[in-house]
Amino acid sequence: MRIRSDGSFEACRWGHSENAFHKNNYGNIKDISPDIWFQNQMGEFRKELINGNGYDTEVCSECFKMENHGKISGRQRQLLKTGIQDTEDFEKTFAGSPWINEFNKTVTNKKTNLLPQDWQIDLGNLCNSGCVMCHPMSSSFLETEFKKIGILNEKQPTSWVRDSKALENFFDCIDKSPKIAYMHFIGGEPLIIPAFKKILKRLIDNKLNENITVGFTTNLTVWDEELVGILKQFPNLNIGLSVECLDPVNDYVRYGSDISTVKSILNQWRDFAKEFEGWLVQIRTTPTLLTIQKLDTIYEYAWDNNFSVESCNFLEDPDFLRPTVLPMQYRNLAIDNLQQWIDKNENTCLTKEHPVINSRHPDFTRQYLIEDAKSYINYLKNGEDESHLMGNLVDYLQKLEKTRQNSILDYIPHYEPILKSFGYC
Amino acid sequence: MNPFLNLLDTVDKTISVCISLCPVNCDKLPHLDVSVNNNIIFSAEINEKKTLKTTVELLEPIHIKIISKNNNAVVLQSIKIDDFEIVPNYIHYSDYVGSDGTAFGPTEYLGVSGQWDLIIDKPFYNWKHDVTGMGWFLTP
């Protein structure tokens, strides 16, 4: 389950936030302990899933969209953690899953007494970057900037980690959850959020650091020696490194970052992680129409270092930044770059018979990268034409550029004709 | 009626086990006892490649035991469990001990009298999840 920045609960870290299920079922850690929400309110969602109505809840729609284009989804990854494979072995792995009794309980309206084992925890929106595809709930930088340029009036909700009752509720749930397997922290930027250290220290005090895997996603703009010292006490760590491409356009998209610093910190994590057997580095991307043409640079770096690349989904919001907003002639440029990268590498990697769902297995990482790159080609070739949103893109970029004093054309000059045709000046 | 739980009524709740063996020397025929979960499925000399088939329950652990009795060599050419091939990539989960107590370790070559075992100590698909690197396997 997930705790969002404002403290509200969500059933799934991969799920679409605006959905039919949560509309009537938001709970908040400021008011209620996560275990109570998990065991009671979330039961309704579990029941929809086991009844085969996941898609209708709208929580799962993003995952189905990914699967339609051959991209491994969070739904498939989470199923795999219960031993269920979304392959031709589905029926037998389902019947053999140790979770069958729990599924039965859900169907017969019996309350579970289980506690969450796999968490995503949003620590609040404190962030030193203003990524163009992010939003004020996840970036204090954008919150301030959006107010300045007049596209946001309201103050974002205070982060739950600043609420002592909420923190108490959180620790109370953690302390009584001996089977926690994974906790992934995002921000804002976790490395500059004081509560991140506080929570990690609490996990160490309770000796949970020895058994659980902690993960976090950082924006590669900061390095904190004190925090690194704390992280060393976690034998199992997943380090998610956010970067869109290894090209200066990354500076435009992930505003506040500098590509030379990003590369330096990226390599620093890479080299540091080698010292710990249980530390895993992954690259986290959110491909947009501004970076899709350089996505091959990420695959190349990941290939060379045997890192996987993960995205939560094909970008949903803001819609005008989706790669499918590009007219086909521009999409083709990205397709060609990805195809060239695939052609160069495809025959050199070990191939499993089935698509790789567990991208974290080092033996299959490169096959996964090839399959992931192919899913973007599929998406670019077959995704619905959304070029009618170009005008909204131009409007948004120009508002940002006015305060940022920059221009997208300094980074992607060949977009000039299309941007100008929609009023960019 | 639940679309998923209904599968429990219709899914094939058996696992197929298919073992192919071949004598090394046709002049020295091996005598073998082959059992799966203590059910003997073969007990005789083999004079040519032989394929033995049986099934076990879906949630049952699996123990394949081969006792070689007369010092004549035999090779396990293939062991397929629900079409998942054990030889050679997963043969390291087997063990072979000669009748004199010599530990040969994992192998598909049974050169002398002894006992060869493959023990899958949990439901097959749970085991397969682990050995094929599927990552975390959470339990309630």
Side-chain angles (χ1 to χ4, degrees), chain A residues 132-324:
Chain A
V132 298
M133 63 289 190
C134 195
H135 46 84
M137 195 172 178
S138 296
S139 166
S140 53
F141 186 108
L142 283 183
E143 182 181 0
T144 304
E145 191 176 33
F146 279 18
K147 282 177 185 164
K148 274 189 203 163
I149 60 181
I151 55 177
L152 180 75
N153 295 319
E154 64 209 34
K155 186 182 176 336
Q156 293 301 289
T158 306
S159 164
W160 70 271
V161 295
R162 300 178 70 177
D163 181 304
S164 57
K165 169 93 185 319
L167 267 179
E168 196 182 307
N169 281 340
F170 175 70
F171 288 131
D172 179 55
C173 182
I174 297 305
D175 290 347
K176 60 187 179 193
S177 303
K179 297 193 84 169
I180 293 178
Y182 188 52
M183 297 178 89
H184 192 92
F185 295 90
I186 65 168
E189 167 51 43
L191 270 61
I192 63 171
I193 296 177
F196 186 38
K197 284 180 192 166
K198 191 174 176 180
I199 292 171
L200 292 176
K201 285 176 182 170
R202 175 70 177 249
L203 295 174
I204 293 167
D205 289 345
N206 287 7
K207 301 196 184 311
L208 285 166
N209 59 316
E210 293 166 9
N211 297 317
I212 70 169
T213 300
V214 157
F216 64 94
T217 303
T218 178
N219 65 14
L220 294 170
T221 62
V222 283
W223 180 270
D224 180 336
E225 279 298 339
E226 188 199 347
L227 179 74
V228 169
I230 296 170
L231 293 172
K232 282 181 185 173
Q233 297 179 64
F234 289 81
N236 299 300
L237 191 69
N238 284 2
I239 305 161
L241 304 174
S242 289
V243 54
E244 306 310 323
C245 57
L246 298 177
D247 179 275
V249 72
N250 190 68
D251 295 349
Y252 181 91
V253 171
R254 303 190 66 84
Y255 187 73
S257 65
D258 161 69
I259 192 64
S260 60
T261 307
V262 164
K263 285 180 181 173
S264 168
I265 296 178
L266 183 63
N267 290 336
Q268 203 168 348
W269 278 115
R270 175 196 65 190
D271 297 339
F272 196 63
K274 283 179 188 163
E275 296 175 25
F276 302 89
E277 197 183 338
W279 284 25
L280 180 85
V281 174
Q282 291 183 302
I283 296 180
R284 302 286 177 130
T285 59
T286 308
T288 66
L289 81 176
L290 302 177
T291 53
I292 192 77
Q293 290 182 9
K294 297 286 184 183
L295 186 57
D296 59 309
T297 62
I298 289 295
Y299 287 124
E300 184 71 8
Y301 183 88
W303 181 276
D304 289 344
N305 293 289
N306 207 33
F307 295 162
S308 73
V309 177
E310 275 191 25
S311 314
C312 287
N313 47 44
F314 292 125
L315 180 67
E316 181 63 19
D317 185 43
D319 54 4
F320 50 77
L321 279 164
R322 293 174 192 159
T324 43

Side-chain angles (χ1 to χ4, degrees), chain B residues 17-35:
Chain B
V17 178
C18 186
I19 305 166
S20 296
L21 311 114
C22 191
V24 173
N25 186 338
C26 289
D27 297 330
K28 295 180 176 177
L29 301 179
H31 188 288
L32 305 174
D33 286 351
V34 180
S35 65

